[in-house]
Amino acid sequence: MDIEKTKATFKRKLPDFVDFQNPGQDYLVSEYNYKRALSDLAHELFEDWVGQAADSLSPQGFLGLLNRLLREKIPVANSIQNLSGWRDNSIFFDVIIGEETQLRQFMWLLHGLFREAGAGEDVERSLGSLLDWLNAKDCPPSLTKVFPSLFLFVWNPQQHFFIKPRIFDRFLRSIGERPLGSGYRLTVDEYQRVLTVMKRLGTALSDWHPKDMIDLHCFFWVAQDWAELQPMDSSSVANQPEAAGADTQPVVIERLELPLNLILYGPPGTGKTYELEKGLFPRFTEENSSKKREYFIVDLGKGLTWFQAIALAVLDLGQGKVADILAHPIFQSRLAISANKGPMQTIWGTLQTHTVADCPHVNYAQRHDPLVFSKGSDSVWTIDRSLLTELSPDILDLYARMANFSENSELIRRYEFITFHQSYAYEEFVEGIKPVIDEEGGQMSYEVRDGIFKQVVARALRDPWRSYALFVDEINRANISKVFGELITLLEPDKRMSWDAEFGQWVGGLRLRLPYTHTQNPGADLFGVPDNLHLIGTMNTADRSIALLDTALRRRFQFRELMARPDLLAKRSIPISGCADSIELEKLLEAMNDRIEFLFDRDHQIGHAYLMNVHNYADLERVFLTQIIPLLQEYFYNDWEKVQLVFGDIEEALDSDGKPRARADAIISYRIPRIHTLLGATDQFGSRRIYEMPEQIEPKSIIKIYDGE
């Protein structure tokens, strides 16, 4: 067991730690004291009951004590225990022991476990009985590790150890031990192996003098650094590489050599969006590669209702228990786009709501069509195909798409594309509360839904070997501070999480709490951004909001300027009907942009894209009338003389108002009204030009822009 590196990590995080006899205040306050207080509270609550018969306490009284232990503040520590999380507790209380019969059964099992654990290390009989009971209740694999080990740990911390599955597996790997496995239920033999490993750890730490299993648990917890190494929320567990087994690795594909945060900026029409479509989108697309079934199922699951996802899972399984449905990819893909805090309750509720009326093993009054599920005496669920044909044929159509899927040469897209606008908000980008209409009763409720950025982050976390991207067109159109919120810091390259291939986990990086997720679920995993996700935006420098963007993003993004390129229009001339002359587009664009840069600035030039699709004079005239003139009108608001200067419309001679006169072939013309005729007898107004937009443009008027002869 190589733990020297782990010990060094532990010491770095607790610099005042000497050994477990002299651990320092940080260790005691942040780790040891509340776990010891939790054990003391367990004995205070249950000691008398354990000394008597199991039925000496009423089920409701027992439930109240259990709530005090797991869900209420520990008096000494003034905090709620965080060994079992909010979501774990919800499933345990609402599903596993949610009915009185189940609660009574659990009371007897826990009574035996406490008695046996109090006598020493050997808990083979009572632990085996509890694990068998949990398995029969379709308990999720992770919770067969959490709750039995938690009760053993608090009752006898000298002998027993608490298992937090995912982080404990990472710790086992880090010290060279075989992990328990994310999809496997705990067995008595595996728990005995855990105790053996922890005894060996205690021996390896003998120079630090550990007092009990609490010290060993604190060492593992701090060294593994739960707050920083937890990679993603539990809704993504089923899609992690770990879930497929330690030896399952996809083909390694090198990451793309691109800045993590990049903004393409320049005047309008300089090809920023074109660069995304033609230059960058293909780099995040697997061309000519087979579309795997798992990708297809993920895409399909995003558009399903809970009933559809559960029905498809049961159809695909043929038959299965709730835990099997929970683990099915189609249900997991639906779960991934929601913030559902109790997926097992959702499955239970949906199955019972749609159970056929004559099913003897379901006693549930509020049923709704279609009634297609059945439950056996062994808690195995099935679905009636003939009833589906009659009542819900859409399910069979969806299933046919799943069953008949074959790998094909469709492109796999590892990016998303969005456009910001003035009303774009944090709730759309990161996460927000969205209204949800109940599928059965039509009642409206609200749930936290992931925004596009958080969805792409989840995809990137599940596939650390490839690069992913979120493209944001017109990134400066939205209020960046409101849209990005606290994530603006997480985007910085040195704040990103990186992939540790040796241990198969995301490490490092800055993690934080999200306002919606962690308000609803304080125990949810912290959120971080991986270093295989690129955020690439485009920005129009002619937009007045650019100044606000520079301050917020300049330090966090690299910027690449795209300016007008008249050279792309070289050798493209537009013939003029009935005339030997032609219009040279390259010279035309250069002349206009030189004048715009002088009169305004380089950020307001006209991009070459305006003229790229011009093939004849009618196209050119249309572009001038509908795009270029309105654009210049916006640039030089109420200053038509500058628009005339851009078009070369003004000559040196003066007009009757004392200002330079317009050429006869000017694009923008004007008239000077007689003040007395227009307004009557008055001397308070001087002469004024009234400018007029052309309805059509003569070719010579455009030629003179670059050839003023």
Side-chain angles (χ1 to χ4, degrees), residues 281-299:
F281 286 2
R283 301 186 68 178
F284 294 91
T285 303
E286 293 181 19
E287 298 188 40
N288 300 321
S289 60
S290 295
K291 185 175 182 179
K292 305 297 184 183
R293 188 172 190 266
E294 54 266 30
Y295 289 106
F296 169 78
I297 287 179
V298 167
D299 291 340

Side-chain angles (χ1 to χ4, degrees), residues 242-495:
E242 180 186 63
D247 298 327
T248 303
Q249 296 287 343
V251 176
V252 175
I253 299 177
E254 293 185 2
R255 301 271 187 88
L256 296 177
E257 292 296 329
L258 280 174
L260 286 177
N261 304 318
L262 175 66
I263 288 181
L264 308 179
Y265 71 102
T270 53
K272 298 178 290 296
T273 305
Y274 180 88
E275 176 64 18
L276 296 185
E277 294 176 354
K278 303 300 181 183
L280 293 175
F281 286 2
R283 301 186 68 178
F284 294 91
T285 303
E286 293 181 19
E287 298 188 40
N288 300 321
S289 60
S290 295
K291 185 175 182 179
K292 305 297 184 183
R293 188 172 190 266
E294 54 266 30
Y295 289 106
F296 169 78
I297 287 179
V298 167
D299 291 340
L300 180 64
K302 291 178 181 178
L304 300 178
T305 65
W306 290 116
F307 169 72
Q308 289 174 327
I310 293 166
L312 286 173
V314 178
L315 270 175
D316 198 41
L317 291 166
Q319 61 180 23
K321 295 189 175 184
V322 170
D324 301 319
I325 299 169
L326 175 66
H328 194 281
I330 196 70
F331 184 83
Q332 285 294 321
S333 66
R334 174 62 180 87
L335 184 63
I337 63 168
S338 76
N340 190 316
K341 302 179 292 298
M344 289 194 70
Q345 296 97 308
T346 299
I347 297 173
W348 273 107
T350 303
L351 289 169
Q352 293 182 100
T353 299
H354 295 281
T355 296
V356 295
D358 59 352
C359 180
H361 304 294
V362 172
N363 183 20
Y364 192 78
Q366 297 180 352
R367 304 191 191 188
H368 299 282
D369 289 333
L371 304 181
V372 294
F373 296 115
S374 292
K375 180 185 178 184
S377 59
D378 54 357
S379 297
V380 172
W381 290 87
T382 57
I383 191 167
D384 191 317
R385 286 175 176 264
S386 61
L387 290 175
L388 278 178
T389 303
E390 177 185 353
L391 302 174
S392 191
D394 61 302
I395 299 296
L396 292 175
D397 292 340
L398 290 168
Y399 180 67
R401 291 175 58 191
M402 283 179 54
N404 298 329
F405 175 82
S406 60
E407 294 185 4
N408 52 58
S409 58
E410 292 183 26
L411 301 181
I412 298 175
R413 197 176 77 170
R414 299 194 307 278
Y415 69 87
E416 295 291 343
F417 175 79
I418 58 173
T419 300
F420 275 180
H421 48 78
Q422 285 86 344
S423 60
Y424 206 90
Y426 177 93
E427 287 75 12
E428 296 170 273
F429 191 66
V430 184
E431 63 173 6
I433 298 176
K434 302 292 184 180
V436 179
I437 304 298
D438 182 76
E439 297 167 10
E440 312 303 340
Q443 297 296 316
M444 179 182 292
S445 61
Y446 294 87
E447 70 177 25
V448 176
R449 288 284 184 91
D450 292 343
I452 185 66
F453 179 77
K454 199 175 175 188
Q455 292 176 30
V456 176
V457 165
R459 290 180 61 191
L461 286 169
R462 292 194 293 265
D463 186 7
W465 305 274
R466 299 171 177 84
S467 295
Y468 286 76
L470 176 61
F471 295 101
V472 183
D473 201 21
E474 304 287 359
I475 194 171
N476 55 318
R477 288 285 183 180
N479 186 321
I480 295 300
S481 298
K482 289 185 177 180
V483 172
F484 282 82
E486 66 281 350
L487 299 187
I488 195 69
T489 301
L490 298 186
L491 293 177
E492 298 182 36
D494 62 343
K495 304 297 190 302

